[in-house]
Amino acid sequence: EPEVTQTPSHQVTQMGQEVILRCVPISNHLYFYWYRQILGQKVEFLVSFYNNEISEKSEIFDDQFSVERPDGSNFTLKIRSTKLEDSAMYFCASSLNHYEQYFGPGTRLTVT
Amino acid sequence: GIQVEQSPPDLILQEGANSTLRCNFSDSVNNLQWFHQNPWGQLINLFYIPSGTKQNGRLSATTVATERYSLLYISSSQTTDSGVYFCAVEGGADGLTFGKGTHLIIQP
């Protein structure tokens, strides 16, 4: 069964550094999303992406964040200058028809 | 934005017991999904159920969209069912809004 994959599974970075989280959505899906979950809290929506542009973003998704689909398979989330409070699990998701969303296993980002 | 309330927040059961988890939402939805977050943090899709009833093995779910709630039933619980169960809804925007989850512990 096709699945969403994410790399790396765990990323440790120093405050102020740039980090890129990578996702490979399910191959025929058209809608792509990023979510984050701070430890012990609920999952929060960051951004959705369709037809090579952002379709919606939350208040969390400020100028420090950007997304890109650099080729036909990858979908990336970049954090330009990481802060301690960016430490969280980041989930990528994809959807064929903007309804049921399939989540990847997550990347645990630790900012020190 | 849309509000999602899950109950109970915590539930401790013995292996073999049945349980019902509830999700209330504040507005009409286009999408409702149930997830199980395992101890490794992975979100496992359980059901896509904006309305109606579905069953998958020992799990079933019912959403009554007109009354803005969904129920997840787990029968004959096993220790591997432990984890956090999230309800998430989408009501016109792109992103899912998650509830705070129900933390389920199944004791042997």
Side-chain angles (χ1 to χ4, degrees), chain A residues 7 11 17-23 34 46-47 54 60-70 75-83 86 90 109:
Chain A
T7 55
Q11 173 98 40
Q17 295 296 305
E18 175 183 287
V19 64
I20 297 176
L21 310 182
R22 302 181 192 279
C23 168
W34 283 101
L46 292 178
V47 65
I54 291 173
I60 304 168
F61 194 88
D62 61 21
D63 292 343
Q64 292 296 314
F65 292 92
S66 62
V67 290
E68 193 177 32
R69 188 155 162 82
F75 180 50
T76 62
L77 174 69
K78 181 193 291 185
I79 309 174
R80 287 190 185 80
S81 178
T82 49
K83 303 187 280 279
D86 293 326
Y90 288 81
L109 176 65

Side-chain angles (χ1 to χ4, degrees), chain B:
Chain B
I2 197 165
Q3 305 296 314
V4 181
E5 298 287 335
Q6 289 188 245
S7 60
D10 301 282
L11 187 59
I12 301 174
L13 297 172
Q14 294 295 315
E15 204 167 20
N18 301 328
S19 57
T20 301
L21 282 55
R22 187 176 180 103
C23 171
N24 292 332
F25 43 95
S26 61
D27 207 341
S28 58
V29 297
N30 300 317
N31 177 7
L32 188 147
Q33 293 183 241
W34 282 98
F35 297 90
H36 174 213
Q37 187 164 42
N38 64 22
W40 296 271
Q42 296 175 328
L43 284 171
I44 310 300
N45 274 32
L46 296 178
F47 294 102
Y48 165 71
I49 188 165
S51 64
T53 297
K54 289 187 178 180
Q55 179 154 8
N56 184 4
R58 296 182 295 105
L59 273 61
S60 64
T62 294
T63 297
V64 184
T66 53
E67 297 187 22
R68 297 180 184 166
Y69 74 88
S70 183
L71 301 173
L72 177 70
Y73 305 97
I74 305 173
S75 64
S76 304
S77 300
Q78 300 175 358
T79 55
T80 51
D81 294 330
S82 296
V84 183
Y85 289 80
F86 288 105
C87 169
V89 304
E90 182 264 300
D94 287 353
L96 289 170
T97 299
F98 281 72
K100 292 183 178 180
T102 292
H103 187 197
L104 177 65
I105 297 173
I106 305 298
Q107 296 178 331

Side-chain angles (χ1 to χ4, degrees), chain A residues 40-57:
Chain A
Q41 298 186 23
K42 65 179 182 179
V43 179
E44 301 172 291
F45 168 72
L46 292 178
V47 65
S48 59
F49 192 87
Y50 170 71
N51 201 26
N52 281 321
E53 62 182 22
I54 291 173
S55 52
E56 188 192 1
K57 58 184 180 180

Side-chain angles (χ1 to χ4, degrees), chain A residues 87-112:
Chain A
S87 294
M89 181 79 99
Y90 288 81
F91 293 101
C92 172
S94 71
S95 175
L96 174 62
N97 52 15
H98 173 45
Y99 289 113
E100 185 171 11
Q101 296 184 23
Y102 294 82
F103 280 68
T107 292
R108 186 170 300 282
L109 176 65
T110 302
V111 182
T112 62

Side-chain angles (χ1 to χ4, degrees), chain A residues 4-20:
Chain A
V4 177
T5 60
Q6 291 186 241
T7 55
S9 56
H10 190 190
Q11 173 98 40
V12 181
T13 190
Q14 288 191 325
M15 198 167 50
Q17 295 296 305
E18 175 183 287
V19 64
I20 297 176

